[in-house]
Every structure is written in C-alpha cells, then in structure tokens.
Amino acid sequence: MSHAAPQTLAAKAILHEPGEQGQVWRLMDGALRLDEVDASGDRRFAGLLLPGDLVGGEMLTLGVYAMRAQALVPVRLLPVQSTQGAPVSPEAALQSFVRMQQRTAALMSMRSGTAEERVSRLILLLAGHDDDRVVLPILKDMADITDLAMESVSRVMSKLKQAGALIERGRRHLFALRRSQLLASPSQFALMGS
C-alpha cells in the first residue's frame, strides 16, 4: 500500500469508487457519504462517516474499496499508518468498529420519526458535540440520508431558519446553530438519546 499525502476534497468530490484500490484514511474534518453502486451506476445511501472515522478500512481485508465515498461537505483526510508498518493498529480498528455500530444506530433513527425529527437529528450529528456552527450538505443528500423527499427537507429547513435554530452565515451551506432551538420542541427530546 502506498503512503499517501494528506488530502482535502471539495463538497461533492468522490474519494473512491467500489473496486478501486487505495489508501486507508482517517477523516479529520467534514463528512463523507458511502453509497452502494449497482451495475447500472445507480447509487443507494449506505452510510455516513464523520471526523475520527476510518475511511476505506475494507482495503485491509478485501484489497479494494467496497463502496463509493463522496464528500458531503469539504473534507480533510490523513493517511493511516503505524510505526510497525501495519496500516491500522488493532485498537484503532476496534474503535472504528464501535463508532460505526453507534453511527448505524444514529442513522437508523434518522430514517424514522417526523421530518422535523429526522432533519434535526442529522444536523446535530453533523455538527458534533461542541460546535455552534454546521456546514450542511445539499438538500438531495440530506433527503437520501433521512429517507425523505427533498421538498420535505426544504420545508423543515425553512421552519428551522424561521425558528432561529439555524442562521445562515455568508458562505453557502454554513449555519450558526442554536441547539436549544432544535431541542425546544417536545417531539425532539429523543434527539439526544445517543
């Protein structure tokens, strides 16, 4: 496996396609979506990677990437290497596995409930624990992740902006985040269950 340099990707850029060979990465900033791609090229949302996650870990066992990885927002990646020459330490692999199990549970919760709950959960997940700002992906990606129509996501986003939960900040898709406004609705108390 080659030793790659750190990499940055713009939103919508593809890191890798299924069947390609490459590097195992650690996502430092941003968010990547994982998609299964069928023989006709159609994609189906399969996962979400956030800062701290390993990207392309299947390279260690399969020798190729299993899914398409595409930047939802701008991302920064570092190649994963260890002093022993092994690409990933057992501890890092185990931590990544546990994070992915937790992320799977969070993603499942984003695909049930009201549209407001789903979109709010996604926003909170993308923002992380301490951030008071969030860079959001385009509506189509948000709709794919939450299993909603784009129109539903658009309506929820408009409501959140009107309520003051999201405040646009100059750059496209950059918002100031008021967590208390996202959590103010009784139907949204379950958001922080993870």
Side-chain angles (χ1 to χ4, degrees):
M1 184 176 298
S2 65
H3 297 288
Q7 189 169 12
T8 58
L9 297 174
K12 307 289 288 163
I14 296 172
L15 176 63
H16 58 71
E17 294 282 358
E20 293 179 347
Q21 294 182 329
Q23 174 73 43
V24 177
W25 302 93
R26 180 165 311 280
L27 182 60
M28 303 307 291
D29 295 305
L32 290 165
R33 71 177 278 165
L34 297 176
D35 291 300
E36 293 180 333
V37 181
D38 67 20
S40 67
D42 290 336
R43 68 182 189 161
R44 188 177 73 219
F45 176 74
L48 181 66
L49 299 175
L50 297 174
D53 288 343
L54 291 180
V55 182
E58 66 271 25
M59 285 290 303
L60 302 175
T61 56
L62 302 176
V64 295
Y65 296 119
M67 297 185 199
R68 168 189 274 181
Q70 183 175 13
L72 286 172
V73 298
V75 299
R76 185 172 58 95
L77 302 137
L78 293 178
V80 176
Q81 303 165 358
S82 75
T83 56
Q84 296 87 10
V88 179
S89 72
E91 295 82 18
L94 184 57
Q95 287 174 350
S96 182
F97 176 72
V98 170
R99 285 176 58 89
M100 289 308 296
Q101 285 185 316
Q102 293 169 335
R103 182 78 34 71
T104 298
L107 287 172
M108 293 303 290
S109 76
M110 278 183 251
R111 297 175 77 82
S112 64
T114 67
E116 291 82 4
E117 290 169 336
R118 295 178 191 197
V119 172
S120 294
R121 288 178 189 135
L122 176 60
I123 292 167
L124 289 170
L125 185 65
L126 291 172
H129 293 292
D130 300 321
D131 285 348
D132 59 353
R133 67 177 187 87
V134 63
V135 179
L136 295 177
I138 63 172
L139 290 178
K140 181 181 182 336
D141 287 325
M142 292 177 72
D144 285 349
I145 294 167
T146 58
D147 197 28
L148 293 168
M150 281 189 355
E151 295 79 10
S152 297
V153 175
S154 179
R155 276 192 298 276
V156 170
M157 292 295 293
S158 293
K159 288 179 186 176
L160 292 173
K161 290 175 196 173
Q162 289 172 352
L166 292 174
I167 302 166
E168 292 185 81
R169 293 289 182 221
R171 226 178 78 205
R172 191 173 174 189
H173 303 290
L174 176 64
F175 295 88
L177 177 64
R178 291 196 176 143
R179 288 174 187 275
S180 61
Q181 296 286 12
L182 277 176
L183 300 175
S185 167
S187 66
Q188 295 177 356
F189 285 134
L191 294 178
M192 299 309 287
S194 59

